[in-house]
Amino acid sequence: GAGVSQSPSNKVTEKGKDVELRCDPISGHTALYWYRQRLGQGLEFLIYFQGNSAPDKSGLPSDRFSAERTGESVSTLTIQRTQQEDSAVYLCASSLSLAAANTGELFFGEGSRLTVL
Amino acid sequence: GNSVTQMEGPVTLSEEAFLTINCTYTATGYPSLFWYVQYPGEGLQLLLKATKADDKGSNKGFEATYRKETTSFHLEKGSVQVSDSAVYFCAESFYNQGGKLIFGQGTELSVKP
């Protein structure tokens, strides 16, 4: 597709279960970001990948959160042993390059809404 | 620390009304400033930006001026349309921070015919 694709669009899970969220960036985009938006709050940075460099994981809230990216394509955000406070919309964004990202040229997916019961 | 604060929504206006959405920032350096918009059923997209003090970003009739003295980047439009109904996010970023954005909480705008 032409844009950033995320799946699932909605996920309801029970506390303690693991979840995986997927992001397909725009083809050719080397930079990929994950953000989280909890109800009534702004987007919080979680992690970003740039080419083959080590990812910047500085925004991950706990060791229950992890993410992987295969080359310059698909990324998966995994949340282990989910808690109710993990309920949020998880947004993925990609950018052609780090330089483009620095100018704000990020393309966002529609997000994955996670509800932890 | 660095942060962005927006006026709370929702904001409801009649078509052709004047729009202002306030945004203020705190920064330890010299950020670039952005407004993103999220239309219903779509992902966020960049609306406009400004990279240094006194710069004015503009797009689709929207404007925002980077005011260092008041640490503000208020979004304005002279005459809103129903199609402007969306959620608007103010954000800042710093060079050499990997393109990471610091967002405000978003302001929902609803324009009635």
Side-chain angles (χ1 to χ4, degrees):
Chain A
V4 176
S5 177
Q6 292 188 244
S7 61
S9 55
N10 277 288
K11 175 72 175 179
V12 180
T13 191
E14 293 180 347
K15 178 181 172 180
K17 295 287 179 70
D18 297 352
V19 297
E20 279 191 357
L21 307 176
R22 176 187 169 107
C23 173
D24 282 279
I26 294 173
S27 178
H29 280 198
T30 63
L32 185 148
Y33 301 78
W34 284 98
Y35 286 85
R36 173 174 75 172
Q37 185 179 25
R38 289 188 279 192
L39 190 63
Q41 299 184 25
L43 282 73
E44 305 169 72
F45 165 78
L46 297 177
I47 185 171
Y48 93 89
F49 300 86
Q50 169 55 36
N52 295 320
S53 301
D56 180 339
K57 305 179 181 180
S58 59
L60 294 178
S62 77
D63 59 8
R64 295 187 295 105
F65 288 72
S66 62
E68 293 183 348
R69 187 180 187 193
T70 307
E72 294 185 352
S73 61
V74 171
S75 176
T76 303
L77 177 68
T78 301
I79 309 172
Q80 295 178 310
R81 304 181 303 281
T82 52
Q83 304 294 313
Q84 288 183 333
E85 63 263 27
D86 300 333
S87 296
V89 178
Y90 290 82
L91 291 165
C92 176
S94 70
S95 186
L96 186 62
S97 65
L98 184 56
N102 275 321
T103 65
E105 294 291 340
L106 269 68
F107 296 81
F108 283 82
E110 292 183 42
S112 293
R113 182 177 297 277
L114 174 65
T115 303
V116 182
L117 302 177
Chain B
N2 303 316
S3 66
V4 175
T5 302
Q6 294 179 231
M7 64 185 286
E8 288 192 17
V11 173
T12 302
L13 295 174
S14 297
E15 205 165 22
E16 299 184 2
F18 184 85
L19 168 72
T20 299
I21 300 178
N22 289 339
C23 171
T24 56
Y25 66 92
T26 61
T28 53
Y30 300 97
S32 294
L33 300 173
F34 308 91
W35 277 100
Y36 285 82
V37 58
Q38 186 174 27
Y39 297 105
E42 300 183 15
L44 274 78
Q45 55 187 277
L46 180 64
L47 178 61
L48 54 83
K49 62 186 177 185
T51 58
K52 61 183 188 298
D54 300 325
D55 271 2
K56 178 185 284 189
S58 61
N59 186 24
K60 299 182 180 179
F62 290 89
E63 292 184 339
T65 301
Y66 190 142
R67 301 285 189 202
K68 185 180 175 183
E69 62 275 15
T70 54
T71 63
S72 65
F73 193 55
H74 305 321
L75 183 68
E76 297 182 336
K77 186 174 186 182
S79 176
V80 293
Q81 306 300 311
V82 172
S83 57
D84 294 326
S85 298
V87 182
Y88 292 82
F89 294 88
C90 187
E92 64 179 353
S93 74
F94 298 86
Y95 186 72
N96 283 340
Q97 290 296 310
K100 291 182 285 189
L101 292 158
I102 299 169
F103 283 92
Q105 75 271 34
T107 303
E108 182 180 0
L109 170 66
S110 178
V111 181
K112 306 297 185 185

